[in-house]
Amino acid sequence: MTMYLQPGPCGRACLFLALSLAVAGCSTPSKMAAAVYQNEHFSSDQTFSRAFEADPAATCEASRLALLSQGYVITTATPQLVTGNKHFQPDGELHVQISFTITCAPGPRDGGSTAFVNAVQDRYALKKASTSASLGLPVGSFSIPLSSSDDAMVKVGSETIPAGSFYDRFFTLVQRYVRGGSCGGEDASRCAPGGAPS
């Protein structure tokens, strides 16, 4: 005689839950990755670059001065590359750092250049780790609990700042320094009235 076992209500519920978790675990990372890549449209109207009527060295120097004027610390400065960063503290337990990378390349026109800019925002949060210890005294088995905490800033996120008004403001300031450099140089005909940085 053949016997068949029927799973009870609890067994069916547990089996359904296990299958649901397995499917979610397999599909969630793929969906997240697909969403990230689908947002990369490589559109020509929103880029991280701007053309300037100055050679690459002058454009990178103007970029360096623009960052310095806004409180950024310059970590690299060459005729083709400028990097810098600035720290922010929105509240007591959150720290934000913005890191700039500017690459200056020859432009399509003689004497011109193109600045390619990337800014990354890193976020750090304050994490507290508590530790405890006991102090034994020679009076019977009496002990005093001692506790301490070690605070550390832990990186919780990193994101490239999207193209938009943030970079537009930076490029506008760089343009002012490019014009200021031209006004101070030999080719004064390239200056617009009132174009020097104030």
Side-chain angles (χ1 to χ4, degrees):
M1 182 176 64
T2 304
M3 298 181 62
Y4 297 94
L5 298 178
Q6 295 291 336
C10 180
R12 289 194 296 268
C14 293
L15 179 61
F16 177 76
L17 179 60
L19 290 175
S20 299
L21 292 176
V23 171
C26 294
S27 62
T28 301
S30 299
K31 290 181 179 179
M32 292 178 61
V36 170
Y37 288 112
Q38 287 175 0
N39 290 331
E40 287 290 274
H41 300 296
F42 294 99
S43 175
S44 60
D45 59 346
Q46 287 190 345
T47 65
F48 295 80
S49 63
R50 185 70 58 86
F52 294 96
E53 294 183 357
D55 58 51
T59 299
C60 264
E61 174 63 12
S63 300
R64 184 184 73 87
L65 294 175
L67 290 180
L68 285 173
S69 71
Q70 302 303 306
Y72 283 80
V73 176
I74 303 301
T75 54
T76 303
T78 71
Q80 294 83 30
L81 178 68
V82 175
T83 62
N85 57 73
K86 185 177 180 179
H87 301 270
F88 304 85
Q89 187 106 19
D91 59 53
E93 297 187 356
L94 180 64
H95 174 83
V96 177
Q97 175 178 290
I98 296 181
S99 301
F100 261 89
T101 301
I102 304 105
T103 302
C104 305
R109 292 183 294 180
D110 293 340
S113 62
T114 301
F116 298 90
V117 180
N118 171 268
V120 176
Q121 177 181 265
D122 296 323
R123 298 186 303 277
Y124 299 84
L126 182 63
K127 300 296 183 180
K128 298 182 179 181
S130 299
T131 57
S132 61
S134 297
L135 176 63
L137 298 177
V139 182
S141 59
F142 183 75
S143 63
I144 301 176
L146 301 177
S147 63
S148 63
S149 62
D150 297 327
D151 298 343
M153 299 300 293
V154 179
K155 190 174 183 178
V156 296
S158 182
E159 179 185 14
T160 297
I161 298 176
S165 59
F166 175 83
Y167 295 95
D168 291 339
R169 295 192 299 269
F170 173 74
F171 287 134
T172 298
L173 184 57
V174 171
Q175 180 63 47
R176 293 177 60 194
Y177 279 97
V178 166
R179 291 178 176 176
S182 298
C183 289
E186 297 179 357
D187 188 6
S189 62
R190 299 172 62 182
C191 298
S198 58

